[in-house]
Amino acid sequence: MPNRPEVRLRTLEDVFAYVKAEDFELRLDGAGTQVRRPRAGGSGRRAFVSGKRRQNTIKTTTFSDGQGRMLLSGVVRPGRMHDQTALRTEGIAEQLRLHPSVKSQVDAGYAGLAKEFPRQVTAPPKKPKNDACDGDKRAWHETRRHQSSARICVEHTNAELRQWAPLRRFTGRLEIYEETHLAIAGLVSDRPAQRPTRRRTSTALILVRNGAC
């Protein structure tokens, strides 16, 4: 936990309770780790083939705050499962309903979640059609740029995990991947948790004197 590294957030429920208490915007992002091809004839062999990467992968989801400090990295699922489906299986929809004040920034893979919870989940806007006016296209580029800038910190958090070789290409048994991932995530989260929280300065206008200039 940021500012209190001796306390661990171990579940999705812990993360949402912490975000609600600290009142900040959550960032989340999925990532896939290449794994060995399951043995021929085994059950669920195709479940690990990622349609995006065309490789055998295991998919995880990482949660961070606005400073890129890792809160949780897990939700381990076979690579064929969609990012959004993995989170729904874990129960994120229920957590969003229980905590209506919690907001999050996501990528285009979670567009369905943003559509279901428009006041809580922010995803990139849809690209305008080719025959759209130039003003709409410029507005789309600007909105997408701001949204990408708001969630780039969780991309950096995932990059910290990828500095560990087992999370770039895992060559061990699939049964121990989750244990390995959680152990590395715990080590990676220790250093960012010690970063002091940056407080945003207010941009509100302050009346310095009542008299006319």
Side-chain angles (χ1 to χ4, degrees):
M1 183 182 295
N3 302 323
R4 284 177 285 175
E6 71 280 358
V7 182
R8 297 282 184 186
L9 302 175
R10 301 184 184 277
T11 65
L12 204 59
E13 291 82 358
D14 293 343
V15 171
F16 271 78
Y18 173 72
V19 174
K20 181 181 179 180
E22 295 295 324
D23 190 24
F24 64 86
E25 200 169 37
L26 186 66
R27 274 75 169 176
L28 60 96
D29 185 50
T33 302
Q34 185 179 356
V35 296
R36 297 169 61 183
R37 188 178 186 184
R39 185 175 55 186
S43 60
R45 189 183 189 193
R46 294 184 58 189
F48 293 91
V49 180
S50 170
K52 180 179 180 180
R53 297 180 59 177
R54 305 295 181 185
Q55 295 175 337
N56 290 275
T57 62
I58 285 182
K59 189 167 292 181
T60 55
T61 305
T62 298
F63 301 81
S64 80
D65 62 4
Q67 295 181 213
R69 297 179 297 188
M70 183 189 301
L71 304 177
L72 181 71
S73 185
V75 194
V76 180
R77 296 290 186 274
R80 192 179 183 87
M81 184 178 290
H82 195 276
D83 292 349
Q84 185 174 241
T85 305
L87 273 183
R88 287 185 181 278
T89 304
E90 195 72 13
I92 191 170
E94 288 76 8
Q95 291 303 313
L96 288 169
R97 293 189 186 97
L98 287 172
H99 305 283
S101 62
V102 174
K103 298 181 179 181
S104 63
Q105 295 278 349
V106 299
D107 64 12
Y110 303 94
L113 205 60
K115 185 177 181 179
E116 184 178 352
F117 301 95
R119 296 184 179 181
Q120 294 177 260
V121 183
T122 303
K126 289 185 177 181
K127 186 176 181 179
K129 297 180 179 180
N130 293 333
D131 58 352
C133 65
D134 292 340
D136 289 342
K137 292 179 180 179
R138 285 195 294 269
W140 174 76
H141 277 291
E142 189 66 16
T143 304
R144 187 176 180 86
R145 184 181 67 84
H146 279 291
Q147 204 271 344
S148 297
S149 178
R151 59 173 303 277
I152 191 64
C153 52
V154 72
E155 301 277 1
H156 294 162
T157 305
N158 265 331
E160 288 187 76
L161 289 170
R162 296 297 174 264
Q163 293 177 4
W164 293 69
L167 300 190
R168 291 195 299 270
R169 187 176 187 276
F170 187 72
T171 58
R173 292 183 294 122
L174 297 178
E175 295 80 8
I176 65 171
Y177 176 83
E178 183 172 5
E179 182 180 352
T180 304
H181 183 96
L182 294 177
I184 293 176
L187 294 172
V188 171
S189 66
D190 285 344
R191 185 171 58 182
Q194 298 174 9
R195 299 175 192 162
T197 301
R198 296 194 302 264
R199 299 296 181 185
R200 290 186 177 182
T201 56
S202 174
T203 57
L205 295 176
I206 301 176
L207 186 63
V208 294
R209 62 179 180 177
N210 295 325
C213 296

